[in-house]
Amino acid sequence: MPLQTQFYRKTLETLAVYRELVVIMVPIAVATQALTEFGVIKAVSPWLAPAMQLFGLPPELALAWLTGLLVGMWGAVVVLFTLVPMTALSTADMTVFSSLLLMAHAIPVEQRIVARAGPNFWATSILRIAGAMAFAALLHQLFSATGWLSQPIAPVSKPAAGEGGWIGFAYGTAKTLVVMLGVLLALSWAMELLRAAGILDVLYKGLAPLFRLVGLRQEALPFTTVGLLLGISYGSGLMLAEVRRQPIEPRQVFLASVFMGFAHSLIEDTLVVVALGADLTTVLFGRLLFAIAATAAIAFVLDRFPDAPVAPSDSASRS
């Protein structure tokens, strides 16, 4: 097949996936913004405050994490320093909070996108939140026992709040959607070029040992790699396209989704929290090691219970 024809087909396929992502993202984002504007998130956050004790964090940070869970990374980091004075947090505190946020944020949007490829929304959401809490609790115990990272934080930058309200929300959402379209098209075209040049095969052979540790096979490598480096929305967008293009075992799609939930956007999100004062080694390599171990454990359980409903049998994504 000529390369131009492949590019044309890949563009149409990517635009179809992008349209579906928009249909998922916009209504959920509007609903979440309404909850924020009407004060629902702020009213509910005190119920989450006691959980902060598990992580050795000030209870006020419950609002920041709940905002992150529902809205996303930037929603959480913008309100972070309005809740707790910068001088009240240590590097360990910021690292623990960042670990919570990195693993579990924007759950309604991101896990709904994941669900379109087959995995159960509630299963992947619960695993992602539970994994974030387990990792943060382990870090808190480690830091408390060793005194590691007890120095005050020294953030490189402090995020400034942009324009609030519905106008700021509309601008931010529109900007996100435009960037997402550009990135998805660029990714799809780049992958076609790399596939045609045989570079993808070399890349996947190099990454295969890592992904084998978590039970992932060759067919799951492309979208899992994208999710690992750039984020769940991009990785799941490609995953959705791949699932529709060729049959992929539901267990592989589920494990890829779980792994991406624990470790995704290793570039952008990691840089954001390190700039706020989190420890780079912990939030990058520590998170990746936890993701490998946790996903491998889940793969082990699935091997023991092969009939577990990892994906709905009548998933609309396969129609």
Side-chain angles (χ1 to χ4, degrees), residues 55 57 65 69 73 77 80 91-105 128-140 143 149 261-264 269-270 273-274 276-288 290:
F55 320 119
L57 297 174
W65 188 39
L69 278 173
M73 283 279 298
V77 299
L80 174 60
T91 302
D93 294 332
M94 181 56 68
T95 302
V96 170
F97 179 76
S98 297
S99 299
L100 275 174
L101 195 58
L102 286 168
M103 283 195 184
H105 60 261
R128 191 172 164 189
I129 295 171
M133 296 179 68
F135 184 48
L138 286 172
L139 290 180
H140 168 55
F143 297 153
L149 304 179
F262 293 149
H264 59 273
D269 288 357
T270 299
V273 298
V274 168
L276 294 176
D279 176 62
L280 173 62
T281 301
T282 304
V283 297
L284 180 57
F285 299 107
R287 178 163 60 119
L288 184 57
F290 178 87

Side-chain angles (χ1 to χ4, degrees), residues 36-62:
T36 302
E37 291 294 318
F38 293 135
V40 176
I41 294 178
K42 188 174 183 179
V44 172
S45 62
W47 293 89
L48 193 60
M52 294 295 104
Q53 296 178 4
L54 294 173
F55 320 119
L57 297 174
E60 294 86 354
L61 290 186

Side-chain angles (χ1 to χ4, degrees), residues 8-31:
Y8 177 72
R9 291 186 176 180
K10 181 59 68 173
T11 299
L12 293 181
E13 181 182 275
T14 302
L15 290 175
V17 170
Y18 174 74
R19 177 182 177 276
E20 186 159 350
L21 296 182
V22 172
V23 169
I24 295 170
M25 292 175 65
V26 172
I28 295 177
V30 170

Side-chain angles (χ1 to χ4, degrees), residues 213-215 251 255 258 262 290-304:
L213 292 175
V214 299
R251 182 182 183 276
L255 286 176
V258 170
F262 293 149
F290 178 87
I292 293 171
T295 309
I298 292 170
F300 177 82
V301 171
L302 290 179
D303 285 339
R304 297 299 180 271

